[in-house]
């Protein structure tokens, strides 16, 4: 993870693209550096909002990802609004995945299942999408399908932490920073 953090910092330094900060926050969170993750996500949120205010709408899904990562009911509602607006523009697997996360964070397991199944039907295969599917299935009460998707995620990305637990693989956070 030290190498991933170094590359994330270098990428942001060179490009000033806030999506590097979003990913850096995720790397830090995975490594257990919660305060470092919150700092990166906070910086990313400020920059993404500024870019969106200046007409760069492509970053709406990244802002939704940051808001969901940071947690809290208000942020979760805003993230869901952003992801729904982005889905109106294009129905890409990444957008569907973030939208499913927003639906889960707002208590809509059935809607999350629909979104994640549409994303999977597109042919995209990623650990993040499998984890989102696992969380949607678990929230809907289907432990067997949840386990199936967790296993797929673990086989897809060997760097993931232990996925044997039944708690959400992609956290739905309480209010943070």
């Amino acid at each position: 993870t030290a190498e991933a953090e170094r590359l994330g910092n270098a990428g942001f330094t060179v490009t000033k693209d806030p999506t590097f900060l979003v990913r850096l926050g995720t790397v830090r969170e995975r490594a257990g550096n919660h305060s470092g993750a919150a700092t990166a996500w906070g910086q990313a949120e400020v920059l993404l909002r500024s870019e969106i205010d200046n007409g760069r709408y492509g970053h709406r899904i990244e802002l939704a990802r940051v808001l969901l990562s940071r947690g809290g009911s208000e942020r979760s509602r805003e993230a869901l609004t952003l992801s729904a607006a982005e889905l109106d523009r294009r129905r890409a697997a990444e957008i569907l995945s973030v939208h499913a996360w927003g639906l889960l964070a707002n208590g809509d397991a059935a809607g999350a299942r629909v979104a994640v199944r549409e994303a999977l039907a597109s042919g995209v295969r990623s650990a993040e999408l499998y984890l989102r599917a696992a969380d949607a299935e678990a929230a809907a009460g289907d432990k067997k399908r949840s386990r199936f998707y967790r296993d797929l995620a673990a086989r897809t990305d060997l760097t993931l932490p232990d996925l044997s637990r039944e708690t959400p693989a992609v956290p739905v956070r309480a209010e943070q920073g």
Side-chain angles (χ1 to χ4, degrees):
T1 61
E3 179 68 2
E5 183 154 349
R6 185 187 71 73
L7 291 171
N9 279 320
F12 178 70
T13 300
V14 170
T15 67
K16 302 299 183 215
D17 183 343
T19 60
F20 280 101
L21 292 173
V22 177
R23 301 300 187 262
L24 183 59
T26 302
V27 166
R28 288 176 176 171
E29 180 72 14
R30 233 192 232 184
N33 180 356
H34 306 298
S35 65
T39 298
W41 288 328
Q43 292 170 334
E45 182 178 346
V46 168
L47 293 171
L48 289 165
R49 286 187 187 284
S50 174
E51 289 197 2
I52 290 167
D53 288 346
N54 290 313
R56 297 202 47 199
Y57 294 106
H59 285 307
R60 286 190 298 196
I61 205 64
E62 289 301 325
L63 178 57
R65 184 186 309 275
V66 167
L67 294 170
L68 289 163
S69 295
R70 295 188 76 197
S73 59
E74 188 175 315
R75 287 185 183 120
S76 295
R77 285 190 301 274
E78 182 182 358
L80 186 57
T81 299
L82 288 165
S83 65
E86 197 62 21
L87 275 176
D88 287 343
R89 294 174 46 117
R90 58 190 178 103
R91 298 191 75 79
E94 178 187 15
I95 297 165
L96 287 159
S97 177
V98 173
H99 188 64
W101 186 4
L103 289 165
L104 283 170
N106 285 281
D108 186 355
R113 281 174 111 180
V114 170
V116 100
R117 287 177 180 176
E118 183 180 340
L120 289 167
S122 74
V124 169
R125 300 294 179 254
S126 73
E128 181 182 346
L129 184 54
Y130 289 140
L131 290 175
R132 195 85 63 229
D135 291 346
E137 295 298 340
D142 192 335
K143 288 186 177 193
K144 185 176 179 182
R145 286 186 70 84
S146 177
R147 177 81 254 150
F148 169 76
Y149 285 119
R150 283 180 195 283
D151 290 344
L152 283 175
R155 288 196 306 263
T156 303
D157 183 349
L158 301 177
T159 68
L160 288 172
D162 178 25
L163 297 176
S164 62
R165 66 200 190 291
E166 295 300 322
T167 57
V170 183
V172 175
R173 302 201 181 300
E175 193 72 36
Q176 292 183 352

